[in-house]
Amino acid sequence: MKTLLFTKELEDLKTEALVVGFYESFGNSDIDKYDVISDGLVNEVIKSKEFTGKFGKVLMLRLKGKLKRLVLVGLGKREEFGLDKAREISGKAAVYVRDQGIGEFSIVLFEDINPYDAAYCVVEGVKLSLYQFNDFKTQGLDDIKKVDQFTLVANGNNFVEIDNAIRKALVITDAVYYVRDLQNKPSNVVTPSYLAEEAKRIAARFKFKCTVLETKDMKKLGMGGMLAVSRGSDHLPKFIIFEYNGGKETFCFVGKGITFDSGGISLKPSQDMDDMKFDMSGGAVIFGLMIAVSQLKLPYRVVGLVPATENLPGGNAYKPGDIIKFHNGKTAEIINTDAEGRLVLGDALAYSKRFNPNAVIDFATLTGACVVSLGNLYAGLFSNSDEFSSKLVKAGENSGELIWRMPLHDKYKEHVKSNVADIKNSGSRDAGAITAAVFLKEFVECKKWAHIDIAGTAYTKNNKDVLSPYGGTGFGVRLIMKLLEDWKTK
Ligand SMILES: [Zn+2]
């Protein structure tokens, strides 16, 4: 989709549909302008209450002039309008226009928010909501409705600022599209080797470093978690290492890359097992972050680690009762082979130490317990630093990717105490999301560490959130890009 900025007079705008937002109070100064453009239709539908300005309401008016359609969208109460609503209403308008079969439209920039943020949110809302994944369809392709071009209409003197916002939003939403595509592709395509090849491809294209560790390297490094989990699959494990050097301060991002999780010998029930192709979502986020960070040339060193493997119950699979040894020398007793994410992350978090990072964040579709706690709205945040946590929570609120901090008290360690090894990989059902985090903490030495459990937010099968159509959501990219953007401000 082409995205343009239009800064001239409205009379000169050529568009199939012009989207304009109105508050419930109809206090917009421009209302008369649109009434004139529409030959009195705007005031007519307001008077008849066909259009009330209530948040989320959309009404399309057919016009006779050069401008073919005016799409009125309700912004709700002026005092309640903010970045979240700007994003959401832009998405709703875009989906509405697309569903009418209109392939090109324009949106007038919302008032009352600073122009940079407004432009950023409109582009974000439009792009995120119009995402589609049709790579594997061979039929009905002609019936798929798409938008090819979208124009942001702005007046005032902030064109440079607005243009910057558009460009930045496009880079980040393109990265989200990339992550969603990777998530949505099935596990018979996205194998550990596929991820490794793709990692090398994006590293060459976007100019950062990429190294892939093979089984023999993992053996040398004593990565017992990776080796154990991968044993039940014919696909060999790959440990992907990205490195972008834009500065000294080092961020290390780690993402769980289980390309399919059957549960292993502790086999999952069949119901919804197809969702387990999404168990590499954390890893996919790291790919997207590397692309966005390198394109925006952020002044940091960014290391991305993706331990990639399948978890299958093959003849050589690891078993409950096994004891394994990790890269940092610690041992764990396997209670449940479906608690495999923490095993590969254990090795990856231990490996992150060699980069001497200032902060480490891991993303993982780790526990069903986290979904029970927080549903699909918030991801779970676990951290060893209050200050770092508040920065992350704030970045979540500002980016629209919400995270909620959960406890990580030392006493929870009781849950993962083993009689025969240093720790065990699964406790009782109680506090399942927390005990997983407590397990990960055993592998972390960095003073600023956060574990983000995205089991509930990584993908969706309903259309409750207009910004996240069916499938992978790419959750995490916008959150971290916001964190990095605001990192140096207090
Ligand atoms: Zn599992």
Side-chain angles (χ1 to χ4, degrees):
M1 182 174 60
K2 220 164 137 189
T3 305
L4 305 170
L5 172 61
F6 180 84
T7 57
K8 294 194 207 112
E9 291 301 313
L10 263 190
E11 294 76 62
D12 298 328
L13 178 68
K14 255 190 172 170
T15 188
E16 289 290 316
L18 181 66
V19 176
V20 189
F22 290 101
Y23 293 110
E24 267 178 62
S25 56
F26 291 107
N28 306 47
S29 49
D30 285 346
I31 204 150
D32 293 337
K33 184 164 91 190
Y34 295 108
D35 194 50
V36 171
I37 291 176
S38 68
D39 250 344
L41 273 179
V42 167
N43 273 327
E44 215 171 276
V45 294
I46 290 173
K47 229 179 260 166
S48 68
K49 297 208 161 42
E50 277 166 87
F51 181 72
T52 58
K54 234 180 155 116
F55 184 76
K57 286 276 173 265
V58 182
L59 181 72
M60 188 165 82
L61 304 175
R62 270 297 239 166
L63 307 183
K64 292 214 174 75
K66 202 159 80 181
L67 184 63
K68 289 185 187 150
R69 301 170 191 89
L70 196 60
V71 181
L72 313 181
V73 294
L75 305 182
K77 294 192 170 61
R78 186 186 279 256
E79 62 276 16
E80 287 173 7
F81 193 72
L83 303 187
D84 284 334
K85 292 205 163 165
R87 229 180 263 126
E88 190 182 337
I89 197 66
S90 306
K92 282 195 165 144
V95 167
Y96 176 87
V97 170
R98 178 197 65 199
D99 291 349
Q100 306 300 311
I102 301 165
E104 182 279 323
F105 74 100
S106 306
I107 294 188
V108 178
L109 198 61
F110 304 122
E111 300 168 357
D112 295 343
I113 315 176
N114 81 65
Y116 179 92
D117 286 337
Y120 192 92
C121 288
V122 171
V123 175
E124 224 183 6
V126 168
K127 283 234 6 212
L128 293 176
S129 62
L130 290 180
Y131 174 82
Q132 298 179 339
F133 182 72
N134 298 314
D135 286 15
F136 293 84
K137 289 181 184 161
T138 64
Q139 293 179 342
L141 291 174
D142 294 339
D143 301 331
I144 294 170
K145 290 172 178 150
K146 274 186 188 158
V147 173
D148 302 319
Q149 189 176 303
F150 144 71
T151 305
L152 193 62
V153 179
N155 43 36
N157 303 314
N158 317 85
F159 301 143
V160 176
E161 210 186 341
I162 291 173
D163 197 48
N164 282 338
I166 294 175
R167 260 184 294 157
K168 190 165 184 184
L170 287 176
V171 167
I172 293 173
T173 50
D174 278 345
V176 173
Y177 269 40
Y178 176 87
V179 174
R180 288 178 176 179
D181 280 349
L182 209 50
Q183 290 181 278
N184 289 334
K185 284 177 191 166
S187 76
N188 59 335
V189 172
V190 178
T191 59
S193 321
Y194 179 96
L195 283 183
E197 288 312 310
E198 190 57 21
K200 287 178 196 159
R201 195 187 66 79
I202 61 165
R205 175 161 172 218
F206 297 104
K207 305 203 166 46
F208 45 85
K209 264 169 65 181
C210 171
T211 319
V212 177
L213 303 183
E214 305 292 340
T215 309
K216 62 175 191 327
D217 307 312
M218 293 178 224
K219 276 185 182 154
K220 247 183 247 161
L221 289 161
M223 291 183 163
M226 272 301 274
L227 294 167
V229 174
S230 61
R231 266 182 17 209
S233 167
D234 286 347
H235 289 287
L236 295 173
K238 306 281 171 178
F239 190 96
I240 299 161
I241 304 160
F242 294 115
E243 198 175 336
Y244 159 82
N245 283 299
K248 271 207 174 119
E249 200 170 0
T250 303
F251 291 85
C252 186
F253 300 116
V254 181
K256 174 181 174 186
I258 303 291
T259 57
F260 187 80
D261 181 16
S262 70
I265 296 297
S266 315
L267 196 63
K268 287 177 185 291
S270 307
Q271 175 82 38
D272 292 330
M273 208 205 257
D274 53 308
D275 286 3
M276 288 305 111
K277 72 169 183 179
F278 291 120
D279 217 18
M280 39 59 79
S281 296
V285 168
I286 310 306
F287 279 62
L289 281 175
M290 295 309 300
I291 295 174
V293 162
S294 61
Q295 283 212 277
L296 294 172
K297 299 192 167 57
L298 296 193
Y300 304 109
R301 175 173 176 239
V302 175
V303 174
L305 302 177
V306 182
T309 172
E310 281 190 328
N311 183 24
L312 289 186
N316 196 31
Y318 79 128
K319 303 173 291 291
D322 288 0
I323 296 175
I324 61 172
K325 193 176 201 171
F326 294 90
H327 178 57
N328 67 350
K330 287 193 180 176
T331 60
E333 179 189 10
I334 305 305
I335 301 298
N336 186 326
T337 63
D338 194 12
E340 84 297 335
R342 65 199 71 179
L343 304 180
V344 302
L345 288 172
D347 276 333
L349 287 168
Y351 190 79
S352 72
K353 188 186 164 192
R354 69 178 56 210
F355 299 98
N356 203 13
N358 298 83
V360 176
I361 302 177
D362 73 77
F363 283 92
T365 45
L366 206 62
T367 64
C370 191
V371 191
V372 173
S373 308
L374 298 171
N376 308 113
L377 188 58
Y378 281 82
L381 164 68
F382 303 83
S383 178
N384 55 3
S385 159
D386 293 343
E387 189 211 345
F388 192 38
S389 283
S390 13
K391 279 195 168 176
L392 273 159
V393 167
K394 203 173 145 209
E397 282 163 5
N398 291 333
S399 66
E401 292 193 322
L402 298 170
I403 51 177
W404 192 263
R405 191 176 182 189
M406 309 269 274
L408 196 61
H409 198 287
D410 271 346
K411 284 192 174 167
Y412 282 111
K413 216 186 141 180
E414 283 296 319
H415 290 251
V416 293
K417 246 192 182 159
S418 164
N419 290 314
V420 291
D422 296 337
I423 42 175
K424 60 182 180 181
N425 83 327
S426 183
S428 66
R429 282 165 57 94
D430 300 353
I434 302 171
T435 48
V438 166
F439 185 97
L440 294 181
K441 196 166 172 244
E442 291 296 308
F443 300 88
V444 175
E445 288 184 30
C446 184
K447 297 276 178 285
K448 281 194 185 92
W449 164 64
H451 155 57
I452 301 180
D453 193 331
I454 54 172
T457 56
Y459 59 92
T460 176
K461 286 171 129 176
N462 60 46
N463 287 321
K464 269 193 219 154
D465 178 2
V466 69
L467 302 180
S468 302
Y470 183 92
T473 61
F475 184 100
V477 174
R478 293 191 290 138
L479 167 75
I480 296 302
M481 293 312 287
K482 193 68 201 159
L483 178 83
L484 296 178
E485 182 182 342
D486 295 342
W487 185 247
K488 286 191 172 141
T489 56
K490 291 229 165 119

